Amino acid sequence: MCGRMTMTHPDDAMARLFQAAPSNDLPDVPRYNICPTQAVGVVTSGPRGRRLRPMRWGFVPHWYKTPTDGPLLINARAETIAEKPAFRAAVRERRCLIPATGFYEWTKDADGNRLPWYFVAKGEGPLVFAGIWQDWGQGDDRVTACAIVTTGASDWMAATHHREPVVLAPGDWARWLGETGEKAAPLMRPAPEGFYDRWRVDPTVNSNRAEGEGLTRPIAA
């Protein structure tokens, strides 16, 4: 699962990292509480090379009459992505990279209170999630939207949540983007042991209106 994330790395640094041409309308950074339906920077690949471009976080199947006509699809399960009508064409033809600095997950205490945890790569370099995308609608109603691919959690992650985002190593970016002609299915797996750091953060982040660097600061667990 991945339902909130952060992005603090500058757009120009991300464009260089992915060797992608950046769009002029990328979301402002830093961002410490990116929520579903908001825009995120996404890397796609096409005949003219890679692009770093904004997309709505929340996939919109082609049969929706409006972007809110059905469930909000922010994640796509690796185990069923190739069969689900909403995702099967996209995972074959429109895979993307979704960079982030970190993401949040929640546990509950004995009283049912939601306790947020913040996850980053060790060393706090960028995370690169496997994603899928597609266009929906036409003209002024056109929406370009994406979803993060998730898989069953590793033993370490399962202490917090039973799902985790599929994170891609640099050597796998081209393969996921379809640039090498290799099958991408083997990449849909949990992060290796020791990949993440995590710490408790203040419940202020439970509000989707909260923002600021303080949301990611550690507190006592």
Side-chain angles (χ1 to χ4, degrees):
M1 182 66 181
C2 183
R4 301 272 190 88
M5 56 182 160
T6 66
M7 171 49 81
T8 63
H9 302 291
D11 294 335
D12 57 348
M14 292 294 94
R16 288 194 302 271
L17 178 66
F18 297 108
Q19 298 181 323
S23 296
N24 294 325
D25 54 349
L26 288 164
D28 292 337
V29 291
R31 303 167 72 195
Y32 295 95
N33 192 12
I34 302 171
C35 302
T37 75
Q38 294 179 350
V40 293
V42 172
V43 178
T44 59
S45 183
R48 297 186 179 181
R50 294 180 182 176
R51 293 178 57 198
L52 177 60
R53 49 192 292 212
M55 292 188 188
R56 175 189 188 265
W57 182 18
F59 197 86
V60 185
H62 65 84
W63 61 83
Y64 278 22
K65 295 179 180 178
T66 70
T68 58
D69 195 35
L72 182 60
L73 305 176
I74 62 171
N75 298 145
R77 296 173 66 96
E79 297 88 341
T80 57
I81 195 171
E83 289 80 37
K84 289 286 186 181
F87 304 132
R88 62 191 179 197
V91 77
R92 289 195 308 266
E93 304 164 8
R94 294 181 299 279
R95 297 191 296 269
C96 61
L97 309 176
I98 304 176
T101 303
F103 65 96
Y104 302 97
E105 291 290 2
W106 281 261
T107 56
K108 290 185 178 180
D109 64 15
D111 297 320
N113 298 308
R114 298 179 73 227
L115 309 177
W117 297 77
Y118 186 53
F119 289 77
V120 297
K122 288 191 174 177
E124 300 190 42
L127 298 169
V128 181
F129 300 139
I132 55 173
W133 70 277
Q134 75 175 12
D135 292 321
W136 175 92
Q138 298 179 359
D140 292 340
D141 293 328
R142 186 184 180 97
V143 173
T144 302
C146 64
I148 294 170
V149 180
T150 67
T151 188
S154 66
D155 291 343
W156 181 86
M157 180 67 74
T160 309
H161 199 276
H162 67 285
R163 305 288 299 173
E164 66 176 272
V166 172
V167 177
L168 300 171
D172 294 327
W173 297 346
R175 182 175 180 179
W176 182 256
L177 289 172
E179 295 171 348
T180 67
E182 300 173 89
K183 291 184 177 181
L187 303 179
M188 294 188 284
R189 56 183 183 260
E193 184 176 352
F195 179 81
Y196 287 114
D197 276 332
R198 69 180 169 201
W199 55 83
R200 275 282 313 281
V201 293
D202 193 276
T204 302
V205 77
N206 292 357
S207 169
N208 59 14
R209 290 187 288 272
E211 187 51 76
E213 185 177 2
L215 298 179
T216 64
R217 290 178 184 150
I219 65 170

